[in-house]
Amino acid sequence: MHFELSEEQRMIRQAARDFAQQELKPGVIERDEHQKFPAEQVKQLGELGFLGMMVDPKYNGSGLDAISYVLVMEELSKIDASASVVVSVNNSLVCYGLEAFGSEAQKEKYLKPLAAGEQIGAFCLSEPEAGSDATSQRTTAEDKGDYYLLNGTKNWITNGSTASTYIVIAQTNPELRHKGINAFIVEKGTPGFTVGPKENKLGIRGSDTHSLMFNDVRVPKENRIGEDGFGFRFAMKTLEGGRIGIAAQALGIAAGAYELAVRYAKERKAFGKPISEHQAIAFKLADMATQIEAARMLVYKAAWLKDQGLPYTEAGSMAKLFASKVAMDVTVEAVQVHGGYGFVKEYHVERLMRDAKITQIYEGTSEIQKLVISREVLK
Ligand code: CAA
């Protein structure tokens, strides 16, 4: 068993670390405050090859492994989870889905600009009345011969207004429930497709989250992904990898807050010595470090399984369940270590605490992860 990263993986991690410090950190508080999308930084992430990390170079991807991907997610998320969620959605939910299940023509037309980072994509599954219960899709896709007619609303869509390519899950045949669901590629600007107002969120406030409305939107038949009725399976397979990315995001948020807490504890003096020399604080740091390391092992294991071509459904859900809990617990403790300073924006930890919460909600709540894990262990 090897716990060492390769030379290439270490270099990629360093590149992500440098980028986060130099490009994401300046302005991160302001972007959070004003809900400003990190457009310039996302463009740079594309140029670095971080938006199509695991895609085959023949489709403009970087051809890297899932371990490299989680390393990048972890480093970016230490500083700015609003930027890292773009990386996660584009890599795991959009590029992966198109590369694994799209037709050659779809890959040429849609995957190539997405993997090159020239465009970003969005994954549209959640609805006002179908979040966890993903089979109960209300958005309909009526088969009209050479096209489908889409009608419905999608909620909480990451990259909602900034994406160019949208993967939309819709119900074609309600009687068949999940077997009647399809996934479609919808281009921005298609008549009848409109973007609702931006959500005003607790955390990841720089990310671009919207509802989307589809009103008699014509989608050419060649934009359906896979065979008729493949959409639910497509969504599940895609989300499996997405959960590893979000687990890495949660790990990064926790590690970022922990690093700030350690630095502060060494600098801040109380009762005549640095607070890190008081056991009340030192033991908190020990607990945080242990939790983060345990989360890291689960995240890397899930990514490693994916790289080996082995099943990773259970491992991905375990990583997300655990790392998102660690993100929540560690960020709360990091605020506590900072005392009053932790409660003000300049010290970053309150933002990380707010950002942590979404990792227990999107790409399947913690309860959904427990459902997936329990089904696997009881098989
Ligand atoms: N891989 C392949 N197939 C799968 C699968 C998987 N991981 N999970 C389920 N399926 C198949 C099942 O085999 C079954 O097919 P058959 O009938 O042919 O055997 C079919 O799908 C239905 O499965 P279930 O009976 O298990 O379905 P269910 O209604 O009980 O739901 C669920 C399963 C796990 C709860 C699923 O609905 C789920 O994952 N829900 C959460 C959805 C989610 O994660 N949403 C996040 C939104 S995206 C997002 O947040 C992105 C963003 O912007 C950041």
Side-chain angles (χ1 to χ4, degrees):
M1 185 176 290
H2 296 287
F3 286 97
E4 270 183 23
L5 298 176
S6 69
E7 181 63 28
E8 186 187 42
Q9 288 162 343
R10 282 202 300 273
M11 279 169 57
I12 290 161
R13 181 175 64 181
Q14 191 59 49
R17 194 172 282 170
D18 293 345
F19 179 83
Q21 285 295 334
Q22 289 157 19
E23 307 296 337
L24 291 178
K25 198 167 179 188
V28 65
I29 293 173
E30 200 225 328
R31 290 196 299 276
D32 171 72
E33 179 88 11
H34 300 292
Q35 300 210 86
K36 193 165 175 288
F37 182 73
E40 183 52 37
Q41 291 81 356
V42 168
K43 190 167 165 280
Q44 292 172 296
L45 286 164
E47 287 159 6
L48 280 168
F50 287 169
L51 292 182
M53 290 190 69
M54 293 165 287
V55 175
D56 191 318
K58 77 176 176 189
Y59 300 116
N60 293 341
S62 302
L64 295 167
D65 58 8
I67 294 280
S68 300
Y69 168 56
V70 297
L71 292 171
V72 168
M73 280 301 297
E74 183 181 342
E75 291 304 324
L76 301 179
S77 306
K78 283 180 182 175
I79 305 294
D80 188 356
S82 294
S84 72
V85 70
V86 181
V87 175
S88 173
V89 167
N90 211 65
N91 275 286
S92 292
L93 300 186
V94 182
C95 287
Y96 170 80
L98 286 173
E99 187 172 26
F101 306 111
S103 67
E104 229 13 73
Q106 290 167 351
K107 291 181 200 179
E108 279 295 320
K109 187 170 177 190
Y110 298 107
L111 176 59
K112 278 186 161 180
L114 288 161
E118 295 157 9
Q119 295 181 354
I120 55 172
F123 180 82
C124 315
L125 173 68
S126 302
E127 298 190 348
E129 291 175 76
S132 293
D133 184 8
T135 56
S136 295
Q137 295 288 303
R138 297 278 169 89
T139 298
T140 53
E142 218 182 316
D143 190 342
K144 294 285 192 183
D146 55 353
Y147 66 92
Y148 285 90
L149 205 56
L150 257 62
N151 279 288
T153 302
K154 294 290 174 182
N155 260 24
W156 309 298
I157 303 304
T158 305
N159 304 337
S161 78
T162 40
S164 302
T165 301
Y166 297 77
I167 296 182
V168 182
I169 313 296
Q171 181 58 266
T172 301
N173 190 341
E175 281 168 20
L176 297 178
R177 277 193 60 84
H178 66 273
K179 291 193 169 102
I181 289 174
N182 279 302
F184 301 94
I185 304 166
V186 181
E187 294 178 22
K188 178 179 244 161
T190 308
F193 170 27
T194 49
V195 177
K198 189 167 180 160
E199 300 290 354
N200 187 0
K201 307 192 296 288
L202 170 75
I204 57 162
R205 288 172 56 79
S207 82
D208 176 47
T209 313
H210 293 258
S211 52
L212 305 176
M213 277 72 77
F214 300 88
N215 189 7
D216 283 344
V217 175
R218 277 178 180 233
V219 179
K221 203 147 224 177
E222 64 264 25
N223 280 23
R224 189 187 72 211
I225 303 174
E227 293 298 305
D228 189 18
F230 178 64
F232 189 73
R233 205 174 152 74
F234 168 85
M236 291 300 108
K237 296 307 295 173
T238 304
L239 278 166
E240 279 182 3
R243 287 167 184 163
I244 301 176
I246 297 303
Q249 181 184 51
L251 167 64
I253 293 171
Y258 164 76
E259 286 173 13
L260 290 169
V262 169
R263 198 170 69 199
Y264 181 82
K266 285 178 171 172
E267 286 168 1
R268 172 75 173 173
K269 290 197 174 67
F271 305 103
K273 54 184 177 182
I275 61 170
S276 59
E277 291 177 25
H278 293 286
Q279 254 185 10
I281 299 298
F283 280 13
K284 270 192 203 304
L285 297 174
D287 279 338
M288 289 155 87
T290 308
Q291 294 294 298
I292 289 166
E293 199 52 28
R296 187 172 282 126
M297 290 301 105
L298 284 177
V299 172
Y300 290 8
K301 163 100 179 289
W304 179 83
L305 286 170
K306 185 167 189 289
D307 284 335
Q308 303 309 306
L310 295 167
Y312 55 91
T313 311
E314 183 185 334
S317 282
M318 282 182 173
K320 183 178 181 293
L321 174 68
F322 189 77
S324 60
K325 172 85 165 64
V326 168
M328 221 43 251
D329 293 350
V330 165
T331 54
V332 168
E333 285 295 71
V335 171
Q336 193 68 19
V337 168
H338 280 76
Y341 291 104
F343 210 62
V344 294
K345 293 191 185 295
E346 284 72 17
Y347 284 76
H348 296 281
V349 281
E350 64 81 35
R351 185 186 72 257
L352 291 165
M353 185 181 85
R354 288 186 283 106
D355 288 352
K357 188 60 201 169
I358 193 62
T359 65
Q360 293 187 306
I361 298 172
Y362 60 16
E363 300 200 22
T365 60
S366 297
E367 292 71 23
I368 289 294
Q369 307 315 319
K370 288 182 192 181
L371 184 70
V372 172
I373 297 162
S374 59
R375 284 180 179 181
E376 290 291 320
V377 299
L378 293 170
K379 253 181 192 172

